[in-house]
Amino acid sequence: MGAERVQDIAKSSEETIPDAFIRLETEQPGITTVHGAVLEVPTIDYSDPDEEKVLSAIEDAARNWGMFQIVNHEIPSEAIAKLQAAGKGFFELSQEEKEVYAKPSGSKSMEGYGTALQKEVEGKKAWVDHLFHKIWPPSAINYRFWPENPAFYREANEEYAKHLHGVVDKLFKSLSLGLGLEGHELKEAAGGDNLEYLLKINYYPPCLRPDLALGVAAHTDMCTITILVPNDVQGLQASRDGLWYDVKYIPNALVIHIGDQIEILSNGKYKSVLHRTTVNKEKARMSWPVFMEPPSDFEVGPHPKLVNKENPPKFKTKKYSDYVYCKLNKIPQ
Ligand SMILES: O=C(O)CCC(=O)C(=O)O
Ligand SMILES: [Fe+2]
């Protein structure tokens, strides 16, 4: 028997939620969210002809927020809608059908359908199930974890992966120039064309106590950059100066997170963003982050051109797989 899925727990809860999902008071969204905030995660318009302006907006957001939203990008809304319909179709299958894709026990890879990802403070649980699989490059894909239902699942994911390339390259180029490097240097130091796109689908079932539970608990993403599309249910929050702000849902926007590897490569100039998700009482929330990851044995450290006597490296250089292992097991880096 596999682990108990939150989707099943949600169906069988009638009045309240199991204790394990009730967060500590220091985490409960009902207590810790800033309401009526004037501060907002920056929104960047990719169709703005003023390239300098776009570049400095990205640099500024990456330094000060570690998160921003992009509107008027090149990914067609139909491609996003199809990706979302495919993922929603999968999570609406029977539990038995979904378990076919369950992450095998003992597997070292992230790939597969699953529930808890890592050990959490005081054994608290997250109100979310997920499906992970790579979508790029083709040599890294394991179709064993791509659902066969709905029938258009594969096509939807392949199309979305193709549309992502332009956005990924433009982001890396802007972030690279923002560090005073040449446009191609940052992506090269992150794995170049071997960068792997790992898709995660988060499924947050309706929750009777959204004031007490959390979807994904506070964390920074381990990868380089995350490109995320949510469904239309509000839930993503970003932390800034110790306070939690809602990241406004904007239809068709791409949410970008700066992950740990970019913070490391930039020797701390860019910040990976601390974020978390809340859940909804009536509706299921879903999101589709794609984590841009260096190949597992690729070494990442502060970019050599950014370190010198005055700016010594602030981070160790290590294999991406070692970084991930330490982070998931809460071992200091
Ligand atoms: O659901 C979201 O909007 C964010 C999910 C997230 O942060 C993650 O899966 O790493
Ligand atoms: Fe995240």
Side-chain angles (χ1 to χ4, degrees), residues 46 83 111 121 135 138 159 213 220 268 271 304 313 324-325 333:
Y46 256 26
L83 175 85
E111 291 188 288
V121 194
I135 55 171
E159 275 177 26
T220 58
K271 295 281 178 287
V324 169
Y325 180 83
Q333 294 289 346

PDB file of all heavy atoms in Angstrom, residues 46 83 111 121 135 138 159 213 220 268 271 304 313 324-325 333:
ATOM      1  N   TYR A  46       6.959  41.761 -20.721  1.00  0.00           N
ATOM      2  CA  TYR A  46       7.960  41.352 -21.717  1.00  0.00           C
ATOM      3  C   TYR A  46       7.752  42.008 -23.077  1.00  0.00           C
ATOM      4  O   TYR A  46       8.628  41.961 -23.925  1.00  0.00           O
ATOM      5  CB  TYR A  46       7.952  39.825 -21.860  1.00  0.00           C
ATOM      6  CG  TYR A  46       9.123  39.139 -21.178  1.00  0.00           C
ATOM      7  CD1 TYR A  46       9.772  39.730 -20.099  1.00  0.00           C
ATOM      8  CD2 TYR A  46       9.580  37.887 -21.615  1.00  0.00           C
ATOM      9  CE1 TYR A  46      10.841  39.102 -19.478  1.00  0.00           C
ATOM     10  CE2 TYR A  46      10.649  37.258 -20.991  1.00  0.00           C
ATOM     11  CZ  TYR A  46      11.276  37.867 -19.930  1.00  0.00           C
ATOM     12  OH  TYR A  46      12.335  37.232 -19.317  1.00  0.00           O
ATOM     13  N   LEU A  83      -1.762  22.435 -20.894  1.00  0.00           N
ATOM     14  CA  LEU A  83      -0.938  21.842 -19.834  1.00  0.00           C
ATOM     15  C   LEU A  83      -1.771  21.683 -18.564  1.00  0.00           C
ATOM     16  O   LEU A  83      -1.739  20.647 -17.883  1.00  0.00           O
ATOM     17  CB  LEU A  83       0.259  22.761 -19.550  1.00  0.00           C
ATOM     18  CG  LEU A  83       1.153  22.353 -18.377  1.00  0.00           C
ATOM     19  CD1 LEU A  83       2.189  21.332 -18.843  1.00  0.00           C
ATOM     20  CD2 LEU A  83       1.842  23.569 -17.747  1.00  0.00           C
ATOM     21  N   GLU A 111      11.135  11.774  -9.294  1.00  0.00           N
ATOM     22  CA  GLU A 111      10.038  11.546 -10.224  1.00  0.00           C
ATOM     23  C   GLU A 111       8.965  10.603  -9.698  1.00  0.00           C
ATOM     24  O   GLU A 111       9.258   9.618  -9.021  1.00  0.00           O
ATOM     25  CB  GLU A 111      10.590  11.058 -11.563  1.00  0.00           C
ATOM     26  CG  GLU A 111      11.363  12.162 -12.278  1.00  0.00           C
ATOM     27  CD  GLU A 111      11.749  11.789 -13.681  1.00  0.00           C
ATOM     28  OE1 GLU A 111      12.642  10.947 -13.829  1.00  0.00           O
ATOM     29  OE2 GLU A 111      11.158  12.333 -14.635  1.00  0.00           O
ATOM     30  N   VAL A 121       9.296  20.448  10.104  1.00  0.00           N
ATOM     31  CA  VAL A 121       9.423  20.834  11.502  1.00  0.00           C
ATOM     32  C   VAL A 121       8.283  20.223  12.317  1.00  0.00           C
ATOM     33  O   VAL A 121       7.124  20.329  11.928  1.00  0.00           O
ATOM     34  CB  VAL A 121       9.324  22.373  11.639  1.00  0.00           C
ATOM     35  CG1 VAL A 121       9.790  22.832  13.016  1.00  0.00           C
ATOM     36  CG2 VAL A 121      10.061  23.067  10.524  1.00  0.00           C
ATOM     37  N   ILE A 135      10.655  17.141 -18.212  1.00  0.00           N
ATOM     38  CA  ILE A 135      10.055  17.395 -19.531  1.00  0.00           C
ATOM     39  C   ILE A 135      11.109  17.821 -20.564  1.00  0.00           C
ATOM     40  O   ILE A 135      10.794  17.991 -21.733  1.00  0.00           O
ATOM     41  CB  ILE A 135       8.919  18.453 -19.465  1.00  0.00           C
ATOM     42  CG1 ILE A 135       9.397  19.767 -18.835  1.00  0.00           C
ATOM     43  CG2 ILE A 135       7.710  17.902 -18.702  1.00  0.00           C
ATOM     44  CD1 ILE A 135       8.377  20.901 -18.943  1.00  0.00           C
ATOM     45  N   PRO A 138      15.062  15.619 -24.012  1.00  0.00           N
ATOM     46  CA  PRO A 138      14.459  14.315 -24.300  1.00  0.00           C
ATOM     47  C   PRO A 138      15.261  13.160 -23.714  1.00  0.00           C
ATOM     48  O   PRO A 138      14.684  12.185 -23.223  1.00  0.00           O
ATOM     49  CB  PRO A 138      14.459  14.263 -25.838  1.00  0.00           C
ATOM     50  CG  PRO A 138      14.366  15.703 -26.243  1.00  0.00           C
ATOM     51  CD  PRO A 138      15.158  16.477 -25.214  1.00  0.00           C
ATOM     52  N   GLU A 159       4.592  20.164 -25.843  1.00  0.00           N
ATOM     53  CA  GLU A 159       4.427  21.511 -26.418  1.00  0.00           C
ATOM     54  C   GLU A 159       4.858  22.589 -25.417  1.00  0.00           C
ATOM     55  O   GLU A 159       5.548  23.536 -25.765  1.00  0.00           O
ATOM     56  CB  GLU A 159       2.953  21.749 -26.788  1.00  0.00           C
ATOM     57  CG  GLU A 159       2.593  21.215 -28.160  1.00  0.00           C
ATOM     58  CD  GLU A 159       1.103  21.411 -28.457  1.00  0.00           C
ATOM     59  OE1 GLU A 159       0.460  22.338 -27.904  1.00  0.00           O
ATOM     60  OE2 GLU A 159       0.600  20.586 -29.242  1.00  0.00           O
ATOM     61  N   ALA A 213      -3.926  25.426   8.099  1.00  0.00           N
ATOM     62  CA  ALA A 213      -3.067  24.522   7.332  1.00  0.00           C
ATOM     63  C   ALA A 213      -2.220  25.300   6.332  1.00  0.00           C
ATOM     64  O   ALA A 213      -2.494  26.457   6.027  1.00  0.00           O
ATOM     65  CB  ALA A 213      -3.930  23.508   6.595  1.00  0.00           C
ATOM     66  N   THR A 220      12.867  27.687   0.034  1.00  0.00           N
ATOM     67  CA  THR A 220      13.383  28.287  -1.203  1.00  0.00           C
ATOM     68  C   THR A 220      13.559  27.127  -2.180  1.00  0.00           C
ATOM     69  O   THR A 220      13.771  25.984  -1.756  1.00  0.00           O
ATOM     70  CB  THR A 220      14.740  28.988  -0.970  1.00  0.00           C
ATOM     71  OG1 THR A 220      15.673  28.025  -0.444  1.00  0.00           O
ATOM     72  CG2 THR A 220      14.627  30.146  -0.002  1.00  0.00           C
ATOM     73  N   GLY A 268      25.558  35.569  -4.110  1.00  0.00           N
ATOM     74  CA  GLY A 268      24.689  36.255  -3.147  1.00  0.00           C
ATOM     75  C   GLY A 268      24.076  37.555  -3.643  1.00  0.00           C
ATOM     76  O   GLY A 268      23.293  38.173  -2.922  1.00  0.00           O
ATOM     77  N   LYS A 271      18.859  36.856  -4.767  1.00  0.00           N
ATOM     78  CA  LYS A 271      18.378  36.124  -3.582  1.00  0.00           C
ATOM     79  C   LYS A 271      17.350  35.080  -3.964  1.00  0.00           C
ATOM     80  O   LYS A 271      16.404  35.394  -4.687  1.00  0.00           O
ATOM     81  CB  LYS A 271      17.693  37.114  -2.618  1.00  0.00           C
ATOM     82  CG  LYS A 271      18.639  38.155  -2.041  1.00  0.00           C
ATOM     83  CD  LYS A 271      19.458  37.566  -0.888  1.00  0.00           C
ATOM     84  CE  LYS A 271      20.453  38.545  -0.306  1.00  0.00           C
ATOM     85  NZ  LYS A 271      21.614  38.814  -1.146  1.00  0.00           N
ATOM     86  N   PRO A 304      33.256  32.245 -11.299  1.00  0.00           N
ATOM     87  CA  PRO A 304      34.648  32.688 -11.111  1.00  0.00           C
ATOM     88  C   PRO A 304      34.857  34.181 -11.421  1.00  0.00           C
ATOM     89  O   PRO A 304      35.699  34.820 -10.796  1.00  0.00           O
ATOM     90  CB  PRO A 304      35.448  31.831 -12.099  1.00  0.00           C
ATOM     91  CG  PRO A 304      34.563  30.694 -12.459  1.00  0.00           C
ATOM     92  CD  PRO A 304      33.148  31.067 -12.159  1.00  0.00           C
ATOM     93  N   PRO A 313      34.349  33.963  -2.222  1.00  0.00           N
ATOM     94  CA  PRO A 313      33.136  33.153  -2.414  1.00  0.00           C
ATOM     95  C   PRO A 313      32.350  32.993  -1.114  1.00  0.00           C
ATOM     96  O   PRO A 313      32.934  32.735  -0.068  1.00  0.00           O
ATOM     97  CB  PRO A 313      33.662  31.800  -2.903  1.00  0.00           C
ATOM     98  CG  PRO A 313      35.138  31.840  -2.738  1.00  0.00           C
ATOM     99  CD  PRO A 313      35.575  33.253  -2.563  1.00  0.00           C
ATOM    100  N   VAL A 324      21.297  18.935  -3.328  1.00  0.00           N
ATOM    101  CA  VAL A 324      19.917  18.468  -3.139  1.00  0.00           C
ATOM    102  C   VAL A 324      19.837  17.502  -1.956  1.00  0.00           C
ATOM    103  O   VAL A 324      18.952  17.607  -1.105  1.00  0.00           O
ATOM    104  CB  VAL A 324      19.401  17.781  -4.435  1.00  0.00           C
ATOM    105  CG1 VAL A 324      18.079  17.057  -4.192  1.00  0.00           C
ATOM    106  CG2 VAL A 324      19.267  18.804  -5.557  1.00  0.00           C
ATOM    107  N   TYR A 325      20.805  16.576  -1.872  1.00  0.00           N
ATOM    108  CA  TYR A 325      20.801  15.603  -0.786  1.00  0.00           C
ATOM    109  C   TYR A 325      20.841  16.311   0.567  1.00  0.00           C
ATOM    110  O   TYR A 325      20.064  16.004   1.476  1.00  0.00           O
ATOM    111  CB  TYR A 325      21.999  14.644  -0.930  1.00  0.00           C
ATOM    112  CG  TYR A 325      22.031  13.624   0.166  1.00  0.00           C
ATOM    113  CD1 TYR A 325      21.252  12.469   0.078  1.00  0.00           C
ATOM    114  CD2 TYR A 325      22.799  13.831   1.313  1.00  0.00           C
ATOM    115  CE1 TYR A 325      21.233  11.543   1.111  1.00  0.00           C
ATOM    116  CE2 TYR A 325      22.790  12.904   2.353  1.00  0.00           C
ATOM    117  CZ  TYR A 325      22.001  11.771   2.243  1.00  0.00           C
ATOM    118  OH  TYR A 325      21.982  10.864   3.272  1.00  0.00           O
ATOM    119  N   GLN A 333      24.792  23.004   4.366  1.00  0.00           N
ATOM    120  CA  GLN A 333      25.504  22.939   3.070  1.00  0.00           C
ATOM    121  C   GLN A 333      26.999  23.190   3.247  1.00  0.00           C
ATOM    122  O   GLN A 333      27.403  24.063   3.930  1.00  0.00           O
ATOM    123  CB  GLN A 333      24.934  23.987   2.113  1.00  0.00           C
ATOM    124  CG  GLN A 333      23.514  23.720   1.718  1.00  0.00           C
ATOM    125  CD  GLN A 333      23.341  22.534   0.784  1.00  0.00           C
ATOM    126  OE1 GLN A 333      24.295  22.016   0.198  1.00  0.00           O
ATOM    127  NE2 GLN A 333      22.110  22.091   0.627  1.00  0.00           N
TER     128      GLN A 333
END
